[in-house]
Amino acid sequence: MHISEGVLSPGIVIVGWLGVIPILAFSLKTIKSHQLPRIALFSSLFFVISFIHVPLGPTSAHLSLNGLLGLFLGIGVFPALFIALLFQALFFQYGGITVLGINTLIMGIPPYLSSLFLAQRLNSSRKAVTFVSALAIGSFSFLGSVILLSLITYLSNPKFYLFSGVLFITQVPMALVEGLITAFTVMFLKQTYPEALNLARHPY
Amino acid sequence: MHIEEFSEGTSPIHRCDPRVKIIIFLYLAFSTALTSKWQISVLNFLYALLILFLSNLPWRGVFKRLFWANVFLSFILISLIMADLLEFFANKDSPPIKRESLALGSHLILKLNGILIAFLSLLGTTSISQLVHALNHLKIPPKFLLLLFLSYRYLTYLHLEYDKMRMSILARGFSPKTNLWTFKTYAYSLGILLVKTLRRSEELYLALLARNFKGVYPLLEHFAMRRGDLVFLAISMLIFNLSLWWFHR
C-alpha cells in the first residue's frame, strides 16, 4: 500500500525525505550491531509477506502486516521498511524511489506508535488481553497507514479527492483482516515460541 | 526467485560505472518528480527512452513492469474523470471532462513512465552487489548498506521457506476463502516463518561474530570509472541542467 512515482506534489515528496532522513539517521544510531541481522531479516520478511494474497469477498488483497514489524523492531521498523520498499520498487516497480521517503513514513509511523503504546499488554496472563492488544496493533497500524495515504494523496492534489475517498473505504475491511492475522500470529507465538514475544515487548 | 533479471547483459549501460548510473537516475527522477513543467517531463521521458534503447533490455519484460505501474495510475485517472462527471451532473455549466484534468492526467502518465523507464534501464541494469558497492563510494552509512545487503541475501531464503509452506498447505487441500479458518491458516504459517526468521537472525549474528565481523562487508566485485562513463555523466547533466534553466527562466 504505497503511492507510485510522479503522482505526489513536489512539496509532499520533499517533506517525505525531510521527515525520513532524520528518523533513519536516529534509528541507525540507536540500533546496536547485534540487532542488525534481525532488522535485515524482518525487512526481507515484509517483502515476502507482500506475496500473500488474502481473498476479500469478490476481490483479493495482499498482506502488509506492518504492525508485526513495528512490534518486533521498534524504531528499527523505519530502516526495515525503507529497504523493503526499495526492493519492491527495484524488483517490481511498486512505489518508487522519489516517493520512498513519504512511503516509509506512511507505512512506518502507525506501527511504531501503536507498538510503543500497546506492546506491553502482550505480556498479560489473560489470553483475551493479548489477543485484543495484538488485534489493535495490527489493525491500527494498517488503518493508520491507510488514513495517512488517503490524506497525503488528497493534500498533494485536492482533485484526487475521489481516489482518496475510495482508497480509504475499500481498505478499511483489510485493516480488520490485518488485525486478525496479527493477533492469531501473536497467539501462535505465545504458545509455541514465547521467547519471541519477549523480543516484541523489548525490541532493544 | 530470479529478481535481478535485467542486471545481466553486456550493453553499454550494463558496463557503465554504477556510481554514474545512480547519479544520472537520481537527477532525472527528482527533476521529473518535482517539476510542474510538462516540457521537462517530455524531455526526460525521451532521454529515458534513449537510455532504455542503449540498455538493450527485453521489451516484453519492460512492458510487463510498466503495465502494472500504469494499472495503478489508471485508478487515479479514472477517479479524476469520475470527479469531473459528478461535477457535470451537479452543475450542467461545467464540462463533462475538464481540460485541466486531461492535462494533469497526461502529465502524470509522462512522469510515471519517464521515471520508471529510467529506473529500469539505469538501476535495473545494476546488480545489488554493484549498487551497494557504489552507494558505499557515494558515502551512504555502512550500517545502512549492511542492512541492505543482508536483507537482499535473505530474501531468497525466506521466499523459499514461504514457498515450501505454501506448497504443503496446498497439498493438504487448502483453498483460501474469506473466513476465520483461512486467516488462522495464514497466521500460523506466518508464525512459523517468524520463528525461522528470528532463529536465522540469531544464527547469522553468531556466524558474523565467529568470523570476527567488524561492521564492513567485503565486496569482491570492483569497478572503475572510464572516460566513456564521464562523457555520459557530463552529457546527461548538461541536458538536465539546460532544460531546467530554459523552462524555469
Side-chain angles (χ1 to χ4, degrees), chain A residues 2-8 10 13-14 17 28-29 31-34 36-45 47-49 51-57 63 65 68 72 79 82-83 86-87 89-94 97-98 157 159-163 177 180-181 184-185 188-189 192-193 196 199, chain B residues 1 3-4 25-26 29-30 33-34 65 69 72-73 75-76 79-80 82-84 86 100-101 104 108 111-112 115-116 119-120 123 128 131 143-144 146-148 150-152 154-155 158-159 162 176-178 180 183-184 186-188 190-195 197-202 204-205 208:
Chain A
H2 31 260
I3 206 89
S4 272
E5 296 274 22
V7 174
L8 296 178
V13 172
I14 292 169
W17 283 102
L28 288 174
K29 206 178 165 188
I31 296 164
K32 304 279 183 299
S33 58
H34 71 272
L36 286 172
R38 198 191 331 150
I39 294 172
L41 264 102
F42 269 84
S43 182
S44 318
L45 184 69
F47 184 85
V48 171
I49 285 173
F51 290 117
I52 305 175
H53 279 77
V54 179
L56 207 62
L63 286 177
L65 298 185
L68 215 53
F72 283 96
F82 187 87
I83 289 170
L86 174 68
F87 284 150
L90 208 54
F91 302 136
F92 303 118
Q93 282 65 58
Y94 296 158
I97 298 289
T98 61
N157 192 336
K159 280 177 84 73
F160 295 152
Y161 74 92
L162 203 60
F163 175 77
V177 176
L180 282 171
I181 294 184
F184 286 131
T185 308
F188 174 82
L189 287 175
T192 55
Y193 192 55
L199 281 175
Chain B
M1 185 170 57
I3 43 182
E4 280 189 289
F25 168 72
L26 289 178
F30 279 96
L34 301 181
R65 302 282 185 101
F72 170 79
L73 187 63
F75 292 125
I76 294 184
S79 79
L80 277 177
M82 293 291 284
D84 281 356
L86 282 175
E100 58 257 42
S101 298
L104 176 66
L108 291 183
K111 276 184 166 193
L112 174 83
I115 297 174
L116 284 189
F119 189 83
L120 289 172
L123 297 194
I128 291 292
L131 198 68
K143 227 176 189 178
F144 175 79
L146 179 65
L147 276 178
L148 189 68
L150 290 180
S151 178
Y152 174 67
Y154 285 94
L155 268 187
L158 284 177
H159 190 256
Y162 160 69
K177 290 183 182 69
T178 316
L180 270 185
F183 302 155
K184 270 187 189 172
Y186 279 135
Y188 296 162
L190 260 170
I192 296 168
L193 206 58
L194 247 159
V195 172
T197 304
L198 285 167
R199 287 214 171 137
R200 183 48 83 101
S201 70
E202 283 157 19
L204 173 62
Y205 179 64
L208 288 173

Side-chain angles (χ1 to χ4, degrees), chain B residues 21 68 103 142 151 169:
Chain B
K21 288 198 269 185
W68 289 111
S151 178
I169 56 173

Side-chain angles (χ1 to χ4, degrees), chain B residues 6 22 26 60 72 79 103 119 128 138 144 151 160-162 179 185 242:
Chain B
F6 289 167
I22 292 173
L26 289 178
R60 184 189 277 260
F72 170 79
S79 79
F119 189 83
I128 291 292
L138 294 172
F144 175 79
S151 178
L160 276 175
E161 289 294 333
Y162 160 69
N179 56 25
T185 309
L242 268 179

Side-chain angles (χ1 to χ4, degrees), chain B residues 68-230:
Chain B
W68 289 111
N70 280 283
V71 166
F72 170 79
L73 187 63
S74 68
F75 292 125
I76 294 184
L77 301 181
I78 291 167
S79 79
L80 277 177
I81 294 170
M82 293 291 284
D84 281 356
L85 284 174
L86 282 175
E87 208 174 316
F88 169 69
F89 289 128
N91 172 19
K92 294 284 179 194
D93 296 337
S94 160
I97 297 171
K98 289 180 186 164
R99 278 176 73 94
E100 58 257 42
S101 298
L102 287 177
L104 176 66
S106 37
H107 196 189
L108 291 183
I109 294 173
L110 262 180
K111 276 184 166 193
L112 174 83
N113 289 293
I115 297 174
L116 284 189
I117 290 171
F119 189 83
L120 289 172
S121 44
L122 288 166
L123 297 194
T125 53
T126 313
S127 68
I128 291 292
S129 66
Q130 283 180 334
L131 198 68
V132 171
H133 201 159
L135 288 172
N136 187 28
H137 283 291
L138 294 172
K139 308 290 175 210
I140 299 294
K143 227 176 189 178
F144 175 79
L145 295 179
L146 179 65
L147 276 178
L148 189 68
F149 203 77
L150 290 180
S151 178
Y152 174 67
R153 159 70 183 84
Y154 285 94
L155 268 187
T156 324
Y157 163 74
L158 284 177
H159 190 256
L160 276 175
E161 289 294 333
Y162 160 69
D163 245 5
K164 272 197 274 181
M165 278 188 315
R166 193 174 65 90
M167 294 311 283
S168 73
I169 56 173
L170 286 179
R172 286 175 215 167
F174 171 69
S175 158
K177 290 183 182 69
T178 316
N179 56 25
L180 270 185
W181 187 69
T182 298
F183 302 155
K184 270 187 189 172
T185 309
Y186 279 135
Y188 296 162
S189 309
L190 260 170
I192 296 168
L193 206 58
L194 247 159
V195 172
K196 285 185 178 177
T197 304
L198 285 167
R199 287 214 171 137
R200 183 48 83 101
S201 70
E202 283 157 19
E203 284 166 12
L204 173 62
Y205 179 64
L206 292 176
L208 288 173
L209 276 187
R211 285 167 179 78
N212 200 17
F213 183 67
K214 294 260 181 355
V216 179
Y217 215 87
L219 292 161
L220 303 174
E221 203 175 352
H222 295 280
F223 39 78
M225 187 91 74
R226 291 167 303 162
R227 193 181 293 168
D229 300 332
L230 286 172

Side-chain angles (χ1 to χ4, degrees), chain A residues 103-118:
Chain A
N103 279 336
T104 306
L105 293 181
I106 288 172
M107 297 296 287
I109 291 172
Y112 175 65
L113 291 179
S114 49
S115 302
L116 200 65
F117 293 113
L118 291 166

